[in-house]
Amino acid sequence: MTKESLFEGALRQFNKAADLMKLDSGMREVLSTHKRELTIHFPVKMDDGSVRVFTGYRFQHNIARGPAKGGVRYHPNVNADEIKTLSFLMTWKCAVAGVPYGGAKGGVKVDPAKLSETELERLSRRYFSDISIIIGPAEDIPAPDVNTNGRIMSWFLDTYSMNAGHSTLGIVTGKPLELGGSLGRPEATGRGVSIIANEASKYFLGDELKGKTVAIQGFGNVGSYTALILDQEYGAKIVAISDITGGYYNPDGINAKEAFDYVTINKSLKGYNAQKITNEELLELDVDVLIPAALERAITVENADKIRAKVIVEAANGPTTPEADEILNSKGIKIVPDFLSNAGGVTVSYFEWVQGLYSYFWDLDDVRKALDKAMKNAFKDSVKMREEHKTDMRTASYMVAINKVATATRLRGIFP
Ligand code: NAD
């Protein structure tokens, strides 16, 4: 038997929800098919005068509810199946969060650590120029993802604006503040995860997160802000954190601010003062809430049986394989799916886009209040669907999202 691709796995979970809501076959085909799939091969002049050809992608899954939206990642493992799956998930993420976008994703197969700053700039500008045939502030709005950042978004903005003849703030999000970025964007995904973790604690464990034990895998943008906010604002007890250098455990609670500052200075948790454990051990800790916030496929058939957390809040994209998902469900572990838990990032990206279009910028407090409301509403909608259909949270969240996109598609009708 051939191994299921990432997209086939995601489609299987989509179909479970589509079956439950008795989605007709035409609509099912429309919603499980990508609108555009662009693959490009482009040359970049290297510093030593040689030329290398790179492969990049931009996929747009669905635009029934608004422009396409999704990050761009630079990674040696980037491939069409991954970009296809992530753009598919973006459609459901935007829909469940109530953000008027469809799903997109892009990427370049490259290890950016092996490029100089000038090579990285030429690669970024050429990639963006080549995908510009399907990009625009009303068509498709990229953002940072793995190994891309505000610096690269600035080059994207400039490349597009140079050709347009004027500065186009709405072309990308995740920009630096000085170039039309939004206050609260760096913390947005972690803050959204924290809001959802607290809602999940109230709903599944009967009480707020205060004093409850939490383990977080991954201490990058998402993991570190999640730890900081859960510790400082929700009073959770963070007993373990980790990054690529391993896990760090303290049964009395890790001081998240201290760990956050440590990583800001040292770039990783290596040498952090806590009991050293492995990333595998972290995932298997007996905690109230487990938050995988590193990369995809952290929980698989290999370790699903050993997971002891009561609730899993998926902060990374695709941290649980579909097979592991079934095992966890059968064990009664409650999972809040990635496209609901980590929707805070795209929600504040949407706020950034709106601010850019109007050239009117909000206070941090306004951003946080609007995010809080959006995340709580998204969680409430999924819970309602879960109870109505007596299903798991992933399927329920899919149903909420599919309902919104299917309704938009029906209202618009099939052109011509
Ligand atoms: P990041 O690169 O800032 O951080 C990744 C972290 O994971 C680092 O601490 C790294 O050391 C750690 N890590 C990598 N491999 C690991 C391993 N095998 N075991 C343990 N830790 C490991 O990335 P990020 O922006 O925090 O994104 C994390 C995840 O969240 C990704 O799946 C990303 O797609 C998703 N996500 C990010 C955002 C966002 O706004 N940044 C939004 C939505 C979803």
Side-chain angles (χ1 to χ4, degrees), residues 73 93 105 145-147 185 189 217-223 242-245 279 293-296 315-317 342 345:
R73 62 171 56 180
K93 188 182 299 192
K105 199 80 182 183
D145 191 65
V146 176
N147 291 328
R185 178 62 187 90
T189 308
Q217 185 204 31
F219 210 73
N221 171 274
V222 181
S242 77
D243 67 6
I244 194 77
T245 69
N279 260 295
L295 295 179
E296 51 271 12
N317 284 315
N342 69 28

PDB file of all heavy atoms in Angstrom, residues 73 93 105 145-147 185 189 217-223 242-245 279 293-296 315-317 342 345, ligand 1:
ATOM      1  N   ARG A  73       6.887  30.018   3.049  1.00  0.00           N
ATOM      2  CA  ARG A  73       7.979  29.415   3.826  1.00  0.00           C
ATOM      3  C   ARG A  73       9.182  29.093   2.963  1.00  0.00           C
ATOM      4  O   ARG A  73       9.036  28.794   1.768  1.00  0.00           O
ATOM      5  CB  ARG A  73       7.503  28.188   4.605  1.00  0.00           C
ATOM      6  CG  ARG A  73       6.988  27.020   3.788  1.00  0.00           C
ATOM      7  CD  ARG A  73       6.749  25.796   4.678  1.00  0.00           C
ATOM      8  NE  ARG A  73       5.849  26.066   5.797  1.00  0.00           N
ATOM      9  CZ  ARG A  73       5.490  25.158   6.691  1.00  0.00           C
ATOM     10  NH1 ARG A  73       5.947  23.929   6.608  1.00  0.00           N
ATOM     11  NH2 ARG A  73       4.671  25.455   7.670  1.00  0.00           N
ATOM     12  N   LYS A  93      -9.150  27.772   8.147  1.00  0.00           N
ATOM     13  CA  LYS A  93      -8.703  28.629   9.257  1.00  0.00           C
ATOM     14  C   LYS A  93      -9.386  29.995   9.162  1.00  0.00           C
ATOM     15  O   LYS A  93      -9.924  30.505  10.131  1.00  0.00           O
ATOM     16  CB  LYS A  93      -7.177  28.782   9.207  1.00  0.00           C
ATOM     17  CG  LYS A  93      -6.603  29.484  10.417  1.00  0.00           C
ATOM     18  CD  LYS A  93      -5.106  29.673  10.309  1.00  0.00           C
ATOM     19  CE  LYS A  93      -4.358  28.362  10.196  1.00  0.00           C
ATOM     20  NZ  LYS A  93      -2.904  28.511  10.371  1.00  0.00           N
ATOM     21  N   LYS A 105      -1.045  29.492   0.115  1.00  0.00           N
ATOM     22  CA  LYS A 105       0.251  29.233   0.756  1.00  0.00           C
ATOM     23  C   LYS A 105       1.311  29.280  -0.317  1.00  0.00           C
ATOM     24  O   LYS A 105       1.045  28.967  -1.489  1.00  0.00           O
ATOM     25  CB  LYS A 105       0.259  27.855   1.411  1.00  0.00           C
ATOM     26  CG  LYS A 105       1.336  27.686   2.451  1.00  0.00           C
ATOM     27  CD  LYS A 105       0.906  28.315   3.769  1.00  0.00           C
ATOM     28  CE  LYS A 105       1.960  28.205   4.825  1.00  0.00           C
ATOM     29  NZ  LYS A 105       1.476  28.760   6.102  1.00  0.00           N
ATOM     30  N   ASP A 145       6.064  32.892   7.176  1.00  0.00           N
ATOM     31  CA  ASP A 145       5.852  31.549   7.729  1.00  0.00           C
ATOM     32  C   ASP A 145       7.233  31.037   8.136  1.00  0.00           C
ATOM     33  O   ASP A 145       8.139  31.855   8.368  1.00  0.00           O
ATOM     34  CB  ASP A 145       5.150  30.658   6.689  1.00  0.00           C
ATOM     35  CG  ASP A 145       4.662  29.345   7.274  1.00  0.00           C
ATOM     36  OD1 ASP A 145       3.782  29.367   8.138  1.00  0.00           O
ATOM     37  OD2 ASP A 145       5.173  28.272   6.882  1.00  0.00           O
ATOM     38  N   VAL A 146       7.442  29.748   8.152  1.00  0.00           N
ATOM     39  CA  VAL A 146       8.720  29.190   8.601  1.00  0.00           C
ATOM     40  C   VAL A 146       9.889  29.823   7.821  1.00  0.00           C
ATOM     41  O   VAL A 146       9.887  29.822   6.572  1.00  0.00           O
ATOM     42  CB  VAL A 146       8.717  27.651   8.415  1.00  0.00           C
ATOM     43  CG1 VAL A 146      10.064  27.057   8.793  1.00  0.00           C
ATOM     44  CG2 VAL A 146       7.604  27.029   9.250  1.00  0.00           C
ATOM     45  N   ASN A 147      10.858  30.390   8.537  1.00  0.00           N
ATOM     46  CA  ASN A 147      12.079  30.973   7.967  1.00  0.00           C
ATOM     47  C   ASN A 147      11.882  32.216   7.103  1.00  0.00           C
ATOM     48  O   ASN A 147      12.774  32.605   6.344  1.00  0.00           O
ATOM     49  CB  ASN A 147      12.872  29.941   7.149  1.00  0.00           C
ATOM     50  CG  ASN A 147      13.489  28.877   8.018  1.00  0.00           C
ATOM     51  OD1 ASN A 147      13.847  29.151   9.155  1.00  0.00           O
ATOM     52  ND2 ASN A 147      13.609  27.673   7.490  1.00  0.00           N
ATOM     53  N   ARG A 185       1.048  42.044  16.230  1.00  0.00           N
ATOM     54  CA  ARG A 185       1.177  40.944  15.272  1.00  0.00           C
ATOM     55  C   ARG A 185       2.173  39.880  15.745  1.00  0.00           C
ATOM     56  O   ARG A 185       1.868  38.690  15.672  1.00  0.00           O
ATOM     57  CB  ARG A 185       1.545  41.465  13.859  1.00  0.00           C
ATOM     58  CG  ARG A 185       1.741  40.357  12.813  1.00  0.00           C
ATOM     59  CD  ARG A 185       0.468  39.558  12.592  1.00  0.00           C
ATOM     60  NE  ARG A 185       0.630  38.389  11.730  1.00  0.00           N
ATOM     61  CZ  ARG A 185       0.949  37.164  12.145  1.00  0.00           C
ATOM     62  NH1 ARG A 185       1.196  36.934  13.426  1.00  0.00           N
ATOM     63  NH2 ARG A 185       1.017  36.160  11.302  1.00  0.00           N
ATOM     64  N   THR A 189      -0.318  34.947  17.246  1.00  0.00           N
ATOM     65  CA  THR A 189      -0.637  33.520  17.193  1.00  0.00           C
ATOM     66  C   THR A 189      -0.590  32.931  18.602  1.00  0.00           C
ATOM     67  O   THR A 189      -1.496  32.194  19.014  1.00  0.00           O
ATOM     68  CB  THR A 189       0.318  32.780  16.238  1.00  0.00           C
ATOM     69  OG1 THR A 189       0.304  33.462  14.983  1.00  0.00           O
ATOM     70  CG2 THR A 189      -0.121  31.349  16.027  1.00  0.00           C
ATOM     71  N   GLN A 217       5.705  22.215  23.361  1.00  0.00           N
ATOM     72  CA  GLN A 217       6.815  21.785  22.484  1.00  0.00           C
ATOM     73  C   GLN A 217       7.082  22.878  21.455  1.00  0.00           C
ATOM     74  O   GLN A 217       6.170  23.284  20.728  1.00  0.00           O
ATOM     75  CB  GLN A 217       6.450  20.488  21.745  1.00  0.00           C
ATOM     76  CG  GLN A 217       7.634  19.959  20.938  1.00  0.00           C
ATOM     77  CD  GLN A 217       7.234  19.083  19.777  1.00  0.00           C
ATOM     78  OE1 GLN A 217       6.184  19.256  19.174  1.00  0.00           O
ATOM     79  NE2 GLN A 217       8.090  18.132  19.448  1.00  0.00           N
ATOM     80  N   GLY A 218       8.338  23.340  21.390  1.00  0.00           N
ATOM     81  CA  GLY A 218       8.667  24.414  20.441  1.00  0.00           C
ATOM     82  C   GLY A 218       8.677  25.741  21.182  1.00  0.00           C
ATOM     83  O   GLY A 218       7.733  26.060  21.913  1.00  0.00           O
ATOM     84  N   PHE A 219       9.756  26.517  21.037  1.00  0.00           N
ATOM     85  CA  PHE A 219       9.849  27.795  21.743  1.00  0.00           C
ATOM     86  C   PHE A 219      10.256  28.894  20.771  1.00  0.00           C
ATOM     87  O   PHE A 219      11.085  29.742  21.043  1.00  0.00           O
ATOM     88  CB  PHE A 219      10.840  27.682  22.915  1.00  0.00           C
ATOM     89  CG  PHE A 219      10.507  28.589  24.067  1.00  0.00           C
ATOM     90  CD1 PHE A 219       9.427  28.312  24.896  1.00  0.00           C
ATOM     91  CD2 PHE A 219      11.258  29.719  24.325  1.00  0.00           C
ATOM     92  CE1 PHE A 219       9.110  29.145  25.968  1.00  0.00           C
ATOM     93  CE2 PHE A 219      10.955  30.574  25.389  1.00  0.00           C
ATOM     94  CZ  PHE A 219       9.887  30.280  26.217  1.00  0.00           C
ATOM     95  N   GLY A 220       9.650  28.853  19.582  1.00  0.00           N
ATOM     96  CA  GLY A 220       9.878  29.904  18.591  1.00  0.00           C
ATOM     97  C   GLY A 220       8.841  30.991  18.795  1.00  0.00           C
ATOM     98  O   GLY A 220       8.381  31.223  19.920  1.00  0.00           O
ATOM     99  N   ASN A 221       8.437  31.649  17.720  1.00  0.00           N
ATOM    100  CA  ASN A 221       7.461  32.728  17.835  1.00  0.00           C
ATOM    101  C   ASN A 221       6.212  32.264  18.578  1.00  0.00           C
ATOM    102  O   ASN A 221       5.791  32.875  19.559  1.00  0.00           O
ATOM    103  CB  ASN A 221       7.105  33.261  16.431  1.00  0.00           C
ATOM    104  CG  ASN A 221       5.941  34.229  16.467  1.00  0.00           C
ATOM    105  OD1 ASN A 221       4.796  33.816  16.413  1.00  0.00           O
ATOM    106  ND2 ASN A 221       6.228  35.511  16.605  1.00  0.00           N
ATOM    107  N   VAL A 222       5.621  31.168  18.132  1.00  0.00           N
ATOM    108  CA  VAL A 222       4.336  30.742  18.691  1.00  0.00           C
ATOM    109  C   VAL A 222       4.503  30.194  20.114  1.00  0.00           C
ATOM    110  O   VAL A 222       3.807  30.610  21.044  1.00  0.00           O
ATOM    111  CB  VAL A 222       3.672  29.681  17.779  1.00  0.00           C
ATOM    112  CG1 VAL A 222       2.329  29.251  18.358  1.00  0.00           C
ATOM    113  CG2 VAL A 222       3.488  30.226  16.368  1.00  0.00           C
ATOM    114  N   GLY A 223       5.435  29.252  20.294  1.00  0.00           N
ATOM    115  CA  GLY A 223       5.601  28.610  21.596  1.00  0.00           C
ATOM    116  C   GLY A 223       6.002  29.582  22.693  1.00  0.00           C
ATOM    117  O   GLY A 223       5.502  29.509  23.823  1.00  0.00           O
ATOM    118  N   SER A 242      10.324  23.333  25.256  1.00  0.00           N
ATOM    119  CA  SER A 242      11.390  22.668  24.496  1.00  0.00           C
ATOM    120  C   SER A 242      11.673  23.420  23.206  1.00  0.00           C
ATOM    121  O   SER A 242      10.886  24.275  22.776  1.00  0.00           O
ATOM    122  CB  SER A 242      10.984  21.235  24.138  1.00  0.00           C
ATOM    123  OG  SER A 242      10.069  21.224  23.067  1.00  0.00           O
ATOM    124  N   ASP A 243      12.800  23.106  22.619  1.00  0.00           N
ATOM    125  CA  ASP A 243      13.074  23.550  21.248  1.00  0.00           C
ATOM    126  C   ASP A 243      13.943  22.483  20.601  1.00  0.00           C
ATOM    127  O   ASP A 243      14.028  21.355  21.105  1.00  0.00           O
ATOM    128  CB  ASP A 243      13.683  24.965  21.212  1.00  0.00           C
ATOM    129  CG  ASP A 243      15.073  25.052  21.819  1.00  0.00           C
ATOM    130  OD1 ASP A 243      15.644  24.004  22.174  1.00  0.00           O
ATOM    131  OD2 ASP A 243      15.599  26.169  21.922  1.00  0.00           O
ATOM    132  N   ILE A 244      14.597  22.824  19.511  1.00  0.00           N
ATOM    133  CA  ILE A 244      15.387  21.844  18.777  1.00  0.00           C
ATOM    134  C   ILE A 244      16.515  21.259  19.646  1.00  0.00           C
ATOM    135  O   ILE A 244      17.006  20.160  19.394  1.00  0.00           O
ATOM    136  CB  ILE A 244      15.935  22.490  17.463  1.00  0.00           C
ATOM    137  CG1 ILE A 244      16.478  21.462  16.485  1.00  0.00           C
ATOM    138  CG2 ILE A 244      16.949  23.573  17.741  1.00  0.00           C
ATOM    139  CD1 ILE A 244      15.426  20.723  15.728  1.00  0.00           C
ATOM    140  N   THR A 245      16.909  21.975  20.724  1.00  0.00           N
ATOM    141  CA  THR A 245      17.989  21.502  21.600  1.00  0.00           C
ATOM    142  C   THR A 245      17.492  20.549  22.692  1.00  0.00           C
ATOM    143  O   THR A 245      18.286  20.088  23.513  1.00  0.00           O
ATOM    144  CB  THR A 245      18.733  22.687  22.261  1.00  0.00           C
ATOM    145  OG1 THR A 245      17.843  23.324  23.204  1.00  0.00           O
ATOM    146  CG2 THR A 245      19.207  23.716  21.250  1.00  0.00           C
ATOM    147  N   ASN A 279      12.466  15.707  23.813  1.00  0.00           N
ATOM    148  CA  ASN A 279      11.217  16.194  23.233  1.00  0.00           C
ATOM    149  C   ASN A 279      10.137  15.115  23.305  1.00  0.00           C
ATOM    150  O   ASN A 279       8.960  15.410  23.481  1.00  0.00           O
ATOM    151  CB  ASN A 279      11.441  16.640  21.793  1.00  0.00           C
ATOM    152  CG  ASN A 279      11.581  18.147  21.715  1.00  0.00           C
ATOM    153  OD1 ASN A 279      10.643  18.866  22.006  1.00  0.00           O
ATOM    154  ND2 ASN A 279      12.765  18.617  21.356  1.00  0.00           N
ATOM    155  N   ALA A 293       3.906  23.154  19.491  1.00  0.00           N
ATOM    156  CA  ALA A 293       4.057  24.439  18.790  1.00  0.00           C
ATOM    157  C   ALA A 293       5.360  24.458  17.985  1.00  0.00           C
ATOM    158  O   ALA A 293       5.965  25.511  17.801  1.00  0.00           O
ATOM    159  CB  ALA A 293       4.029  25.595  19.796  1.00  0.00           C
ATOM    160  N   ALA A 294       5.807  23.264  17.540  1.00  0.00           N
ATOM    161  CA  ALA A 294       7.059  23.218  16.768  1.00  0.00           C
ATOM    162  C   ALA A 294       6.735  23.013  15.280  1.00  0.00           C
ATOM    163  O   ALA A 294       6.390  23.967  14.584  1.00  0.00           O
ATOM    164  CB  ALA A 294       7.965  22.121  17.302  1.00  0.00           C
ATOM    165  N   LEU A 295       6.827  21.771  14.831  1.00  0.00           N
ATOM    166  CA  LEU A 295       6.588  21.518  13.405  1.00  0.00           C
ATOM    167  C   LEU A 295       5.487  20.470  13.227  1.00  0.00           C
ATOM    168  O   LEU A 295       4.932  19.967  14.200  1.00  0.00           O
ATOM    169  CB  LEU A 295       7.882  21.042  12.729  1.00  0.00           C
ATOM    170  CG  LEU A 295       9.022  22.067  12.692  1.00  0.00           C
ATOM    171  CD1 LEU A 295      10.248  21.470  12.027  1.00  0.00           C
ATOM    172  CD2 LEU A 295       8.608  23.361  11.998  1.00  0.00           C
ATOM    173  N   GLU A 296       5.212  20.116  11.956  1.00  0.00           N
ATOM    174  CA  GLU A 296       4.173  19.119  11.708  1.00  0.00           C
ATOM    175  C   GLU A 296       4.643  17.719  12.135  1.00  0.00           C
ATOM    176  O   GLU A 296       5.825  17.500  12.349  1.00  0.00           O
ATOM    177  CB  GLU A 296       3.727  19.115  10.234  1.00  0.00           C
ATOM    178  CG  GLU A 296       4.804  19.022   9.201  1.00  0.00           C
ATOM    179  CD  GLU A 296       5.343  20.380   8.765  1.00  0.00           C
ATOM    180  OE1 GLU A 296       5.039  21.391   9.411  1.00  0.00           O
ATOM    181  OE2 GLU A 296       6.106  20.414   7.796  1.00  0.00           O
ATOM    182  N   ALA A 315      -0.917  24.092  18.283  1.00  0.00           N
ATOM    183  CA  ALA A 315      -0.479  25.431  17.898  1.00  0.00           C
ATOM    184  C   ALA A 315       0.269  25.403  16.562  1.00  0.00           C
ATOM    185  O   ALA A 315       0.160  26.319  15.755  1.00  0.00           O
ATOM    186  CB  ALA A 315       0.407  26.023  18.985  1.00  0.00           C
ATOM    187  N   ALA A 316       1.051  24.337  16.332  1.00  0.00           N
ATOM    188  CA  ALA A 316       1.734  24.184  15.039  1.00  0.00           C
ATOM    189  C   ALA A 316       0.715  23.767  13.986  1.00  0.00           C
ATOM    190  O   ALA A 316      -0.402  23.358  14.320  1.00  0.00           O
ATOM    191  CB  ALA A 316       2.822  23.126  15.146  1.00  0.00           C
ATOM    192  N   ASN A 317       1.078  23.863  12.732  1.00  0.00           N
ATOM    193  CA  ASN A 317       0.222  23.344  11.663  1.00  0.00           C
ATOM    194  C   ASN A 317       0.494  21.853  11.492  1.00  0.00           C
ATOM    195  O   ASN A 317       1.644  21.448  11.352  1.00  0.00           O
ATOM    196  CB  ASN A 317       0.525  24.061  10.341  1.00  0.00           C
ATOM    197  CG  ASN A 317      -0.078  25.447  10.308  1.00  0.00           C
ATOM    198  OD1 ASN A 317      -1.236  25.640  10.683  1.00  0.00           O
ATOM    199  ND2 ASN A 317       0.706  26.427   9.876  1.00  0.00           N
ATOM    200  N   ASN A 342      -4.595  28.090  16.085  1.00  0.00           N
ATOM    201  CA  ASN A 342      -3.556  29.044  15.695  1.00  0.00           C
ATOM    202  C   ASN A 342      -4.057  30.129  14.729  1.00  0.00           C
ATOM    203  O   ASN A 342      -3.267  30.796  14.068  1.00  0.00           O
ATOM    204  CB  ASN A 342      -2.298  28.318  15.171  1.00  0.00           C
ATOM    205  CG  ASN A 342      -2.501  27.621  13.843  1.00  0.00           C
ATOM    206  OD1 ASN A 342      -3.330  28.025  13.031  1.00  0.00           O
ATOM    207  ND2 ASN A 342      -1.715  26.577  13.590  1.00  0.00           N
ATOM    208  N   GLY A 345      -2.969  34.359  14.348  1.00  0.00           N
ATOM    209  CA  GLY A 345      -1.998  34.997  13.453  1.00  0.00           C
ATOM    210  C   GLY A 345      -2.676  35.601  12.237  1.00  0.00           C
ATOM    211  O   GLY A 345      -2.491  36.787  11.927  1.00  0.00           O
TER     212      GLY A 345
HETATM  213  P1  NAD B   1       9.720  29.219  14.680  1.00  0.00           P
HETATM  214  O1  NAD B   1      10.661  28.820  13.607  1.00  0.00           O
HETATM  215  O2  NAD B   1       9.764  30.587  15.250  1.00  0.00           O
HETATM  216  O3  NAD B   1       9.862  28.206  15.941  1.00  0.00           O
HETATM  217  C1  NAD B   1       9.896  26.817  15.824  1.00  0.00           C
HETATM  218  C2  NAD B   1      10.354  26.245  17.170  1.00  0.00           C
HETATM  219  O4  NAD B   1      10.286  24.824  17.116  1.00  0.00           O
HETATM  220  C3  NAD B   1      11.814  26.583  17.518  1.00  0.00           C
HETATM  221  O5  NAD B   1      11.900  26.801  18.911  1.00  0.00           O
HETATM  222  C4  NAD B   1      12.559  25.313  17.133  1.00  0.00           C
HETATM  223  O6  NAD B   1      13.777  25.148  17.857  1.00  0.00           O
HETATM  224  C5  NAD B   1      11.532  24.292  17.536  1.00  0.00           C
HETATM  225  N1  NAD B   1      11.711  22.989  16.918  1.00  0.00           N
HETATM  226  C6  NAD B   1      12.026  22.686  15.644  1.00  0.00           C
HETATM  227  N2  NAD B   1      12.113  21.355  15.482  1.00  0.00           N
HETATM  228  C7  NAD B   1      11.828  20.809  16.684  1.00  0.00           C
HETATM  229  C8  NAD B   1      11.754  19.491  17.174  1.00  0.00           C
HETATM  230  N3  NAD B   1      11.992  18.450  16.379  1.00  0.00           N
HETATM  231  N4  NAD B   1      11.414  19.310  18.471  1.00  0.00           N
HETATM  232  C9  NAD B   1      11.167  20.355  19.269  1.00  0.00           C
HETATM  233  N5  NAD B   1      11.223  21.635  18.874  1.00  0.00           N
HETATM  234  C10 NAD B   1      11.560  21.845  17.603  1.00  0.00           C
HETATM  235  O7  NAD B   1       8.256  28.897  14.100  1.00  0.00           O
HETATM  236  P2  NAD B   1       6.855  29.477  14.588  1.00  0.00           P
HETATM  237  O8  NAD B   1       6.533  30.688  13.812  1.00  0.00           O
HETATM  238  O9  NAD B   1       6.823  29.515  16.081  1.00  0.00           O
HETATM  239  O10 NAD B   1       5.892  28.325  14.059  1.00  0.00           O
HETATM  240  C11 NAD B   1       5.707  27.100  14.747  1.00  0.00           C
HETATM  241  C12 NAD B   1       4.535  26.364  14.120  1.00  0.00           C
HETATM  242  O11 NAD B   1       3.364  27.155  14.200  1.00  0.00           O
HETATM  243  C13 NAD B   1       4.708  26.014  12.629  1.00  0.00           C
HETATM  244  O12 NAD B   1       4.018  24.794  12.390  1.00  0.00           O
HETATM  245  C14 NAD B   1       3.967  27.146  11.927  1.00  0.00           C
HETATM  246  O13 NAD B   1       3.519  26.792  10.630  1.00  0.00           O
HETATM  247  C15 NAD B   1       2.813  27.348  12.901  1.00  0.00           C
HETATM  248  N6  NAD B   1       2.162  28.647  12.814  1.00  0.00           N
HETATM  249  C16 NAD B   1       2.873  29.788  12.990  1.00  0.00           C
HETATM  250  C17 NAD B   1       2.217  31.007  12.940  1.00  0.00           C
HETATM  251  C18 NAD B   1       2.941  32.296  13.199  1.00  0.00           C
HETATM  252  O14 NAD B   1       2.281  33.345  13.217  1.00  0.00           O
HETATM  253  N7  NAD B   1       4.242  32.282  13.434  1.00  0.00           N
HETATM  254  C19 NAD B   1       0.845  31.072  12.664  1.00  0.00           C
HETATM  255  C20 NAD B   1       0.147  29.881  12.492  1.00  0.00           C
HETATM  256  C21 NAD B   1       0.818  28.677  12.572  1.00  0.00           C
END
